[in-house]
Amino acid sequence: MGSIFADFQQAQRVGNGRLLASCLAPIDTAQDPHRLISFAQLSNYQTISSDVRYYLIQAPNAVGLSKAEANAWVDIFVALWKTVKELVGLRQGNGTGDWVRAFDSYKELCNLLVRGYTNFGFQSWTVPCLYVAGKYIRIIAMKADSEVKPKDANGSAFTNGFSDDIMGDVNKHEKLEQAAWTINRMFTVCLSDRSELAESRKWGIYSTTNLLFKTYFRLNSISLTRNVIRALEAASADLPPLELFPKSHRCTFKYYRGVIDFLQENYTEAEQHLTEALNLCHKDSLKNREQILTYLIPAHVVNHHQLPSHALLSPHPTLSGLFTPLFNAVRAGSLVAFDEALTSAEPELVKRRVYLTLERTRDICLRNLFRKVFLAAGWEETKDSTTGEVTGKIRRTRIRIEEFEAAMRVGYKGATDVMMERDEVECFLANMVYKNLMKGYIARDRGIVVLSKAGAFPGTGV
Amino acid sequence: MYSSSSAPGHPPWQAQSSYSSNQNAYIQVPARQTFGAQPPLPPPPTYFPPQHYMASPPTNTPPPPLAPPAKKKMNWSPDVRDYVNRSFAQTTALPGITKEHIEAKLKEIITEATQSGRLDTINWKELPLPQQLIQEDRNRALLAPVPPPYYVPAVPASAPSTTTYQPHPDAPRKRKSTELSKEAGDATAPPPWRTSAQSSGPLADRVSFAPSDKRPKLDMTTSVSKSSASLESRRRRFEDSRAGSNSPRTQESSRGASPEAKVTGPIVGRCQKLEKNYFRLTSAPNPDDVRPLEVLRKTLELLKKKWRSDGNYVYICDQFKSLRQDLTVQHIKNEFTTSVYEYHARIALERGDLGEYNQCQTQLRELYKQNLGGHPVEFKAYRILYFIHTCNQTDMNDVLSDLTPADKKEPAIKHALEVRSALALGNYHKFFKLYLTVPDMGAYLMDMFVERERLAALACLCKAYKPDVRLRFVTEELGFESDEEACQFLLDHAPEDSSHLLEEREGDVRFLTGKVGSIFQNAKTRAFGLVDIKGQI
């Protein structure tokens, strides 16, 4: 009679949160490939409430829950049944199912679940229910939004009551926004639990945080993640240390923290978080590793001026295809190749939000070019100041600006629309010095660059 | 014959009693005006159309015979019984018309016949079946001419279409609907703001045409299938509440109606005054205070003239805000709208009011997406410059993702993109050349960040050039008009005790970059720290 109820009773008996949570997932399982349809056919709108009540409370094998708690579970499963009913209808494709109704029912489930924690004494071991409910409300919301669009495209622009401007927020993500709101409630329910750590819902905090991050990213309202991070930081004293949380929670959390820092141009913190995420990430989950590397590599290049090795990129052909031409150009100091690689990859890089960061690596490309000028400038003999004896040789450190100008013309060889001016070359030289990529100074009156005798190009061996 | 947009599910006595109470903001128990049976539950949460919107004259005659527990048992003639039977027969069913529709229509027909006393005179054998009548209504509605777009949506709001005021429990929470809890969903009155709007004059005054001859238009404003669907769902809810069942069905049907349940519809203004001060709306606008499109066109011309002659920004900005508001409440969305926003954006730019400019820019972006004319290229370029000013990498990324390859070839956009890339690479040489060649009104935007970029360039210069450079070089590289201006800029940003920055030697003024230390580095940090992300002033 519906493996869902059997699982529920079993989970309640032994206190298995994951098993309990799996009951709330509106999917078929490997054990019960017809779980949804059999659950949907269990009852009808008139009798579902009493039927669920029977299976949860009155059945002979039912565990004794307190009255309030049992009632809360009944409501939750009624909401689940309504969702499943829609989903089964959708699967049958006979027009009886609707994503929007499915979403509304599942949102009801989530709200009832949250209320179960706040009002009806759900225990902390049931917290995995929040993960599952949060996961599916997000998925269903996105489905519902993609359904609504064609139908409501015309009216939605005007739904905004008394706003002064004609285009209110055109709501393409109405349901997902509601989902974000619901998940935010789950987050609060986890964060605000004051019971002892062993019995605390705080153990659900990073899972719900991750869901919230995910949803905000999808809504393209990344600024909202700041509130979440602030709330976490404010509560950090009361939270269990991050290391004690499941690896999956930690890895995802670190990834999002890293990306958020990356987008705010805090590359040092971003690199830290993303490195941790990479270390936590399972070695075979290539997709996740690729996601992490998408941000970690640019952050690392900007921070340390080190390019990724072939071995690091080779398992990820997409990423490699995007990054390799660019980094080859950086290595070679070829400005024209760099510009071409950046332009051709621009749409993809913009989509991944790394374009503006990678653009900065042009400095390193230019540094490499100027370094070649330095290397090509040759050697000078050093003489003992008193005897005039030749004691050895060092690289020539006084280089005419024309030499750098020539290098830039070489760097742009093949480019048609670039006009190099001497002042512009000077400007780039000044930038190199300013950014500590090159040590020395420009003596403008003499038209030369005076480079440091010890390490003119820091970190490059010369 | 009732038109399909009046409430076919409700017998007329209900319509009358609740109309008398609908001027009130609160639920009133309808006074019993007839001796017929009342439904066991209070009347549904609908706003009933006033009598003169109904095509057929309302009556005060006894309730229709189909009302379920009628005390007075009617004796139906065999003809009527046969007509009813035929209506529900399988063979006469038409696709797209449900049993509920037929039932409602049938009720309507018989009620009317009873009330007008024609029950025995009608030739029931010849009378078209209810489903045929419904079909005819729908066809007529479909064939009717479609009025101009910005005018259409105005009709349902000024005429009391029931769906417009339908509060439904699943709607996003709004200020005014807090009192409408889910439980109350079955018995609610029109919200207070609605009644206050009505109290400004009789309903009929709010429509600028005679209700009777415009009547068919009402049907086309909402698509027929939509309106009938909503009516059906409304009736189903009504039946559910009568049956006293609290089954899931009740909720579901109210959800089904949700797409139609718009909180506010557009209105049509009647105000002929050209000028109007801006007030933020806190309730539905009064059409007497709203200017229609023709007036607004004249308003824009007037404002343009006044801006050129007086240049009073506070006044002009206020006027533009009310102009935008009038466009919004009337749902006017066309090329005129675009031109209003563009003009306002330009004026705001001219006065450096970035907050107002940003509002216009956001709206313009949506308007351009719908191809409503205007100058999308020009404003896309401004948008790029604007985000350079706010230093927001995330927003800039969004702007870049919006650009098409064709956009990037446009001179103005290309210029803005070059400005962006020059700054990203620290290429102040190129940046200041671009500053001198900026097209359109981009210079107003670039003025916003040119000072801080000068400080950034100076910080760079001072670190890289030793021991000094000619002041002339600074003037040229940083796009100053003259050496004096450059000199003034340097001195303005240096602390007072540092008088040794400039030196005259061999007829040249020299800038002692080697002695500056971190003066301009600090000034640069301060200048970038000051950027107000929202750009509000």
Side-chain angles (χ1 to χ4, degrees), chain A residues 153 157 167 170, chain B residues 333 364-373:
Chain A
M167 307 285 181
V170 180
Chain B
K333 201 170 59 167
L364 281 170
R365 185 173 170 227
E366 299 299 325
L367 290 165
Y368 293 145
K369 270 189 194 157
Q370 306 190 11
N371 286 327
L372 293 173

Side-chain angles (χ1 to χ4, degrees), chain B residues 55 110 180 197 266 276 356 373 396 437 465 471:
Chain B
I110 296 179
L180 307 174
K276 170 182 148 185
E356 211 56 49
M396 181 61 83
T437 59
Y465 286 93
L471 184 61

Side-chain angles (χ1 to χ4, degrees), chain A residues 5-25:
Chain A
F5 294 116
D7 284 349
F8 176 82
Q9 301 296 356
Q10 173 66 15
Q12 286 285 3
R13 214 167 285 127
V14 299
N16 183 341
R18 280 164 183 274
L19 185 62
L20 187 66
S22 74
C23 299
L24 299 184

Side-chain angles (χ1 to χ4, degrees), chain B residues 5 7 9 27 40 55 127 175 216 268 278 318 389 420 456-457 470 476 483 519:
Chain B
S5 73
I27 306 158
L127 193 73
R175 263 169 301 176
V268 175
Y278 168 74
D318 189 66
H389 169 64
R420 188 204 64 74
R470 282 201 199 104
E476 283 169 3
D483 286 0
I519 291 175

